[in-house]
Amino acid sequence: MKALAILVAAGRGERMGADQPKAFVPVAGQPMLLLAARALDAAPSLDGIVVVVPADRIADARQLLGGVRALRDVVAGGETRQDSVQRGLEALPPGFDGVVLVHDAARPLVEVDLIESVIQAAVEHDAAIPVLGLVDTVKRLRDDRVVETLDRSELGAAQTPQGFRVALLRRAYDKAFRDDVVLTDEAMALERLGEPVMAVKGSARNRKLTTPEDLAWAESLLLSEGHP
Ligand code: C5P
């Protein structure tokens, strides 16, 4: 059983306030995309990585990722994250029928153990995602008013990488596009088909870097670990 990853890095990252696509913004001196690709590269069960970047950054990304052993291809992304994942699916080798992981370059601090646990759970159960339990009490709001307190023990925050048998993810994605549904993650496409998705333990370190504050948090973490 082979496992390949699609690393999506084609977002503009406007909330980061940077003058370049978010994945190219350095974290403690290294572009987020490079950190994320190296993290995937270090996972022993992963056989290849397809990277999706803005069309005008393909050459830059190829150069940046020259040392990434498992890199297979760098392709152009689309208007939305969902379009970019679809482009990644189209770029997988023909006949590939293993497990595909979809990972956001915006989560560059993902641990190898987490990647491996998603791959193993996806091999066993066909679909698996990391989920982080919530620490805050969660409220439902309407017009700035608190309507209800939700049962925290039943809730969690979905992370990436998310792993699936490739045929299952393709079928779920095709249906979402046919139904004109906007997906915020891959698991949502399977939920719409009624297909089960296993949850494995997410991690606080695997935080999505969205704002300048997230970037500062990631930089101080890497610096405290002795990164340049
Ligand atoms: O914008 P958001 O934070 O949801 O992006 C999550 C991930 O999806 C990021 O790694 C971003 O680069 C990627 N993305 C993409 N193509 C888009 C939009 C987002 O590859 N059109």
Side-chain angles (χ1 to χ4, degrees):
M1 160 73 58
K2 272 188 172 282
L4 298 177
I6 297 170
L7 178 57
V8 284
R12 283 180 287 273
E14 275 140 13
R15 286 164 293 180
M16 192 64 88
D19 54 0
Q20 56 180 335
K22 179 164 80 177
F24 291 82
V25 170
V27 184
Q30 317 247 41
M32 240 182 257
L33 171 59
L34 179 59
L35 290 172
R38 281 199 184 134
L40 293 173
D41 206 21
S45 304
L46 206 56
D47 304 294
I49 307 170
V50 170
V51 174
V52 187
V53 295
D56 60 350
R57 303 306 294 261
I58 289 180
D60 295 344
R62 285 218 170 97
Q63 195 176 13
L64 179 69
L65 302 174
V68 174
R69 171 197 56 91
L71 184 71
R72 278 187 172 242
D73 208 350
V74 181
V75 299
E79 219 18 63
T80 65
R81 181 182 177 285
Q82 191 171 341
D83 295 327
S84 295
V85 172
Q86 180 67 26
R87 302 276 177 88
L89 282 170
E90 286 160 8
L92 294 179
F96 171 67
D97 67 351
V99 159
V100 63
L101 292 193
V102 179
H103 186 56
D104 289 341
R107 296 184 189 272
L109 303 186
V110 63
E111 303 97 324
V112 168
D113 286 356
L114 192 155
I115 300 168
E116 288 289 316
S117 71
V118 171
I119 295 174
Q120 296 322 321
V123 166
E124 218 172 299
H125 302 283
D126 296 348
I129 68 168
V131 177
L132 189 62
L134 303 179
V135 289
D136 296 315
T137 298
V138 183
K139 306 289 189 188
R140 186 188 305 284
L141 303 177
R142 204 168 296 134
D143 299 329
D144 284 343
R145 282 184 191 240
V146 174
V147 178
E148 186 189 1
T149 300
L150 302 178
D151 180 0
R152 188 171 62 190
S153 68
E154 286 196 348
L155 300 172
Q159 300 185 328
T160 70
Q162 303 196 346
F164 311 90
R165 297 266 175 189
V166 68
L168 184 58
L169 183 60
R170 284 207 163 105
R171 184 154 61 82
Y173 249 66
D174 287 349
K175 177 153 174 57
F177 275 110
R178 269 202 313 276
D179 296 348
D180 218 8
V181 166
V182 177
L183 301 171
T184 51
D185 74 348
E186 284 55 65
M188 187 179 159
L190 271 79
E191 292 154 30
R192 298 187 67 254
L193 293 183
E195 292 286 347
V197 178
M198 286 299 291
V200 304
K201 213 167 167 337
S203 85
R205 187 189 171 94
N206 187 26
R207 168 165 155 183
K208 183 161 151 191
L209 309 186
T210 303
T211 63
E213 290 73 30
D214 296 330
L215 200 60
W217 168 83
E219 294 211 313
S220 63
L221 185 72
L222 289 180
L223 294 175
S224 74
E225 292 172 354
H227 290 261

